[in-house]
Amino acid sequence: MLTGQAMAFLSLTWIIYRGLAIPRIAECGLSCSQGFTCRSHMNWNIFSNFCRQPPASMSRSVLETLTLSTAMKCAPRNGCSLLLRVHASLTLHESLRGLEACSMTLDTQEIQCQIVRVSRASRQMQVGQQLQVHFDCFEVSVAQSLYVTLRTVPHFCGVQLDQQYHVEDCRDEDMRRNVPDCFARKLSYWVDRSRKVVLVQVPEAPGGPDYYVRLCFKWFICEDAGALVQVTANSVSQTISLPYSQELPCLCLEGWSATPDAVRTQTCPFEDDTEALWDAIHYDPGSQALSWEPACPVSGHVSLCWRPGPGVHCHELEHSGRPAHGRVQYPLVDTQPQLCLKFSTSLGSWVKCPFEQQRFPAWKMAVQPASSPSHLRITFFSPSPARFQVHLCHGRKMWPPACRPALPAIPLPPASGNLTADPAVAFVDIPGDEACAPDTCIQGRRTDVHFSAPQQLCDLQCTASRRTAD
C-alpha cells in the first residue's frame, strides 16, 4: 500500500496538473458580483475615442484590477476554440454606468469591444461598493498577442487600465491535444532515402478542418521546396508522399490546419545531415577564385588548410579563417591537391579537397644535382608560368614548423618545342649539408597567389640523383 506521504504527493501532483490545464466553459457569458444586475453587448463604434473629464469626487483609480486568462470552448467533433477571459473590478461611482473592455490583435490590428452596463437600480443601491465583472466572449487564436484596454462608461479621460497578453501556443500540452490549429504537431513521418521521399501520416480527424502539408527550405521564412498538398480530414488515417531532391539540414516538413491564422508547425528530418552542405564548392579558373556557398543557414567556421597526405591532420593556413554564415570566397588560390577546405560547426568538422581530381593543373617540386657538388638544386615544374620560394624547416611533426627565411626561386626561360611533361620554370640551389640534416624538410610554395599549400621533401637521401614531391 501507498504510504500517507506518497498519497499526499500524488494528490498534490494531480492538483498541480489540473491547475495547469486551460479551463473549459460550455458557453461564453457574463457574471457580476452578487447584488449587481448587469448586461453586456458588443460595441462596434470602436473608433470613438472621445472622453470627458471625470468629476472631482471620482478617483482616477476607480478601475482597480484587470486580469486576463485563456479558456476553451469544446465541441465533441470539432475540437476546442479559444476565448479570452476578462476579470475586472472597480469601485462603483454615481457617475458610472458600467465599463468597456477592448481587445486588439497586434498582428492584424483587429479590435473587439464589449460593454458591460449596470442596471440603474443596482447603481443607486451599490454606490461605493466594489463591482467584479467576469466575461469571456472574446474569440482568440493560438499564439496571438493581444492588447487589452479597460475603460469606464462613460469614458472619463485618464481613467483606464491596459495590459498585453499572449495566448498559449502549441507547445502547451492541452493546446496540442484539443485545438485544431495545433493538430499538425500530431503528424508523424518517416523517410524513404532509397526513393527520396518523406512519407507523412495524417491522423484521423472526423469533422475537423483539412490540413496543408509541404516541404520547404527554412531560412528566415520557409520557402517552397515542392508542391503544397491539401489533405481532406476524415475518419481514416492517410499517408502522403512528398518527394525531395537532396537531403539538407534546412529541408523541413511544415503542416498547418486549413483555418484562418493557423499556427504552422515544422520538423526537419535531416537537421543533422550536414555532409551535403560542404560539397557546394566552386573554382573559377579565370579568376583563380575558390568559393563556397551553403544551401542552408550554417553557424560555424571555414578555413583553407594543408593536408600533407590522406587521412592526416589538415593544418589551417594563416589568415584564411572565415565565419560560415554565407558565401565565402578566396581569391587567387593555388590548385594544389593538398589544398583543402575545412568546415567546423558544433556538430564536428569536415575536410574537402576540391583539387584532388586530376583535371586540375598542379605544379611539382624535385631535387636534382646542382652545378656545385656541395649543393642540391630544387627545381619547380609547372604547366603554366609561376613564381616560387623555398624554406628549410625543422620539426616535421610540429605545426607550424620552425623554418628559415625564404629563398626565392630563380625563373627559367620558357621552354620551346612539343613537351610531353610539365616544363621546369624555376630553381633554387641550397647547401647539401643543410638540406640533408636530420629532421629537416625542404618546403616549396607558390608566391604569385594569395593562398598556396606547400609541398615538402623530408629526410632526403642525398646520394639520390633526383627526388620528386608528389
Side-chain angles (χ1 to χ4, degrees), residues 32-267:
C32 291
S33 303
Q34 187 175 0
F36 289 86
T37 302
C38 303
R39 57 186 176 86
S40 67
H41 64 87
M42 298 298 292
N43 177 26
W44 304 108
N45 187 23
I46 59 177
F47 299 105
S48 175
N49 288 319
F50 173 77
C51 65
R52 64 182 71 176
Q53 290 300 318
S57 60
M58 188 179 74
S59 169
R60 290 182 179 269
S61 59
V62 64
L63 292 176
E64 298 175 350
T65 61
L66 172 62
T67 305
L68 307 174
S69 60
T70 307
M72 283 187 185
K73 180 182 176 183
C74 301
R77 289 183 171 272
N78 296 329
C80 299
S81 59
L82 299 176
L83 298 168
L84 177 67
R85 307 182 80 180
V86 178
H87 174 214
S89 64
L90 75 159
T91 301
L92 194 62
H93 187 272
E94 58 187 7
S95 301
L96 298 180
R97 297 193 295 273
L99 53 83
E100 177 189 56
C102 292
S103 169
M104 181 178 71
T105 305
L106 294 183
D107 55 351
T108 64
Q109 305 295 301
E110 179 185 356
I111 299 177
Q112 307 175 67
C113 292
Q114 287 193 30
I115 289 181
V116 177
R117 293 187 180 274
V118 183
S119 68
R120 184 189 300 271
S122 294
R123 296 202 307 267
Q124 292 175 345
M125 296 176 58
Q126 303 288 351
V127 170
Q129 301 299 311
Q130 185 187 65
L131 168 65
Q132 295 195 22
V133 178
H134 298 262
F135 50 103
D136 44 27
C137 289
F138 289 115
E139 295 181 354
V140 294
S141 301
V142 176
Q144 273 189 334
S145 293
L146 308 171
Y147 188 76
V148 179
T149 301
L150 184 69
R151 304 190 300 188
T152 59
V153 177
H155 181 199
F156 290 116
C157 302
V159 183
Q160 181 172 307
L161 294 178
D162 305 295
Q163 189 172 325
Q164 195 164 333
Y165 184 74
H166 299 281
V167 181
E168 292 84 346
D169 58 26
C170 292
R171 290 174 295 183
D172 183 274
E173 177 68 22
D174 207 6
M175 301 282 274
R176 289 200 301 270
R177 290 180 177 275
N178 298 289
V179 179
D181 286 356
C182 293
F183 286 172
R185 285 200 178 272
K186 296 182 180 179
L187 296 178
S188 60
Y189 71 91
W190 63 97
V191 178
D192 187 337
R193 294 179 185 261
S194 62
R195 295 169 50 205
K196 286 195 169 184
V197 294
V198 178
L199 301 169
V200 184
Q201 186 78 29
V202 182
E204 60 184 54
D210 291 352
Y211 296 102
Y212 291 114
V213 181
R214 66 168 182 166
L215 290 176
C216 57
F217 293 116
K218 188 174 182 180
W219 286 83
F220 297 107
I221 60 174
C222 222
E223 302 173 358
D224 283 332
L228 177 66
V229 178
Q230 183 172 358
V231 184
T232 302
N234 53 41
S235 58
V236 180
S237 178
Q238 304 176 62
T239 301
I240 59 173
S241 177
L242 301 175
Y244 64 87
S245 59
Q246 191 176 13
E247 295 169 2
L248 294 170
C250 60
L251 182 64
C252 300
L253 172 65
E254 186 176 62
W256 67 97
S257 61
T259 56
D261 299 323
V263 174
R264 301 188 179 200
T265 59
Q266 296 170 349
T267 183

Side-chain angles (χ1 to χ4, degrees), residues 217-357:
F217 293 116
K218 188 174 182 180
W219 286 83
F220 297 107
I221 60 174
C222 222
E223 302 173 358
D224 283 332
L228 177 66
V229 178
Q230 183 172 358
V231 184
T232 302
N234 53 41
S235 58
V236 180
S237 178
Q238 304 176 62
T239 301
I240 59 173
S241 177
L242 301 175
Y244 64 87
S245 59
Q246 191 176 13
E247 295 169 2
L248 294 170
C250 60
L251 182 64
C252 300
L253 172 65
E254 186 176 62
W256 67 97
S257 61
T259 56
D261 299 323
V263 174
R264 301 188 179 200
T265 59
Q266 296 170 349
T267 183
C268 304
F270 311 107
E271 59 184 350
D272 293 332
D273 295 355
T274 57
E275 183 69 28
L277 295 179
W278 322 130
D279 294 329
I281 301 172
H282 175 72
Y283 176 73
D284 184 346
S287 64
Q288 296 180 273
L290 182 68
S291 61
W292 169 76
E293 187 167 8
C296 293
V298 179
S299 178
H301 179 82
V302 60
S303 62
L304 293 173
C305 63
W306 170 55
R307 188 165 68 178
V312 300
H313 180 71
C314 201
H315 304 287
E316 184 173 334
L317 301 187
E318 288 185 349
H319 312 301
S320 70
R322 306 283 190 274
H325 298 321
R327 189 171 188 265
V328 175
Q329 179 168 305
Y330 295 100
L332 293 176
V333 172
D334 186 11
T335 56
Q336 273 298 100
Q338 296 171 341
L339 183 69
C340 307
L341 278 166
K342 183 177 182 179
F343 305 93
S344 302
T345 72
S346 60
L347 298 176
S349 61
W350 296 261
V351 174
K352 296 289 183 178
C353 301
F355 305 120
E356 286 182 325
Q357 303 173 29

